[in-house]
Structures are given as structure tokens and as C-alpha cells.
Amino acid sequence: MLPSLGYQGFRTAPIPSGWVEMGERWALWWNGREVASVTPTREGGYRLHLDAMKMWQTKSARVASIRQGKRFAERWCAARLFPDLPLREAVVRLTDNTPIKPARPLPGLPPTREQQQQAQRLDEAAAAASARVKAALQPIRPPTEAKPRLTDPAKVRLREGQVGSKRR
């Protein structure tokens, strides 16, 4: 199932509002969505894209400058989004750039006994796994001093004889 168009997801940053510069383009945000944008064109001018109410009620126009595009977009969107307000007041409300705080998540039900047991088992398994990893990551220690070997006196004499023969 696809999310709805206005879906904000698990947003942690504040939702933009008012005019926001995004690289070379300017975007007008209102109510958590982009309603207008002014982008540069290859020919040197600017393209204004307006999408205030519904997807099929969009408008694209060429503008001479970013300033002209922003002014036109503010008036066009304000007239459609706030039809009951005077135009100046509607533009002020539309371009208010105080960021919208994301809504707090809804409170959930308390965990069930099965969920608590599962959480406890997961905690125990994680602790055991981290202990194994820590043990595996410990540096290799040199072996402790070995006990001197008891050797057969006959073998000691043979070795001494070999060492003496090598020196000659």
C-alpha cells in the first residue's frame, strides 16, 4: 500500500514553511507541502510552477526574475488558499516562515506480558552476544611462563655432544 501524498513519515526535523531556498530553486511551503517553486531555466530566465489546491489545478509560467516569480506565486496561492481573507492578510499568513512542529506520537497501550518477556529475552541475548564479541576482540595474550621440563640426563649429554660437534 502506497502512502498518501501528504504523508510526512517519521519526521524529526521541523516542517518547513514560507519561502525556502533549495540550491538554485526557491520553494514556497504551506501546511507541510510545497505549493509553488521558482527554478532557473537554461535560457537564463525562470520558470514558476504553482500547485496550490489540487493536482489538476496547476500552473506553469515564465518569469523574468526570482523576485517577480515569488510575488506572483504569493498572490496566486494566497487567493486560492485563503479566499475569505483580504489579499494582503492572506499573503502574510501564507509566507509566515515559522516552522511547524511535528505532532507528538500518540500514546500507546502498555506492553503485554508476552511483549515484556520478549524484551527480556532480547536483552539477555544481546548481553550474551556482546560478551562473546568482547571476548573475541580481546588482544591475544602471550602464554604464561612454561614450567621447565624435566629432561632425561642421557638426552642432555647427547645434545651437548651435538652442540660441541657443530662448534668445531
Side-chain angles (χ1 to χ4, degrees):
M1 186 168 142
L2 294 173
S4 65
L5 275 171
Y7 176 68
Q8 294 293 327
F10 297 102
R11 184 183 278 273
T12 57
I15 301 167
S17 65
W19 284 105
V20 178
E21 186 176 9
M22 301 173 165
E24 293 182 347
R25 74 189 275 269
W26 283 87
L28 177 61
W29 286 80
W30 173 77
N31 203 18
R33 67 186 186 107
E34 187 178 317
V35 292
S37 65
V38 181
T39 55
T41 60
R42 292 181 189 161
E43 297 84 36
Y46 294 91
R47 168 84 35 204
L48 172 65
H49 182 75
L50 303 163
D51 184 12
M53 291 297 282
K54 298 181 175 65
M55 287 191 337
W56 60 88
Q57 292 178 341
T58 62
K59 180 175 182 156
S60 287
R62 287 184 45 82
V63 289
S65 66
I66 292 177
R67 187 174 177 192
Q68 178 191 11
K70 287 166 104 176
R71 187 173 169 91
F72 184 83
E74 289 168 359
R75 291 173 174 215
W76 191 86
C77 293
R80 280 150 186 81
L81 295 172
F82 305 105
D84 53 335
L85 292 178
L87 187 60
R88 285 180 194 230
E89 192 176 324
V91 168
V92 168
R93 187 180 290 185
L94 178 68
T95 58
D96 180 26
N97 61 357
T98 53
I100 302 165
K101 303 282 186 214
R104 289 183 35 212
L106 296 173
L109 295 172
T112 62
R113 180 186 295 150
E114 291 84 14
Q115 290 172 332
Q116 290 174 343
Q117 290 171 350
Q118 183 182 19
Q120 184 179 1
R121 285 193 305 268
L122 284 172
D123 287 343
E124 292 168 359
S130 65
R132 283 195 308 269
V133 169
K134 283 181 183 178
L137 293 176
Q138 289 294 325
I140 300 173
R141 296 183 181 143
T144 57
E145 272 190 49
K147 295 179 184 175
R149 293 185 183 175
L150 296 176
T151 55
D152 189 18
K155 290 183 181 177
V156 172
R157 280 189 227 124
L158 284 174
R159 277 196 208 131
E160 288 174 0
Q162 291 172 354
V163 170
S165 63
K166 287 181 182 174
R167 287 186 188 167
R168 293 183 191 168

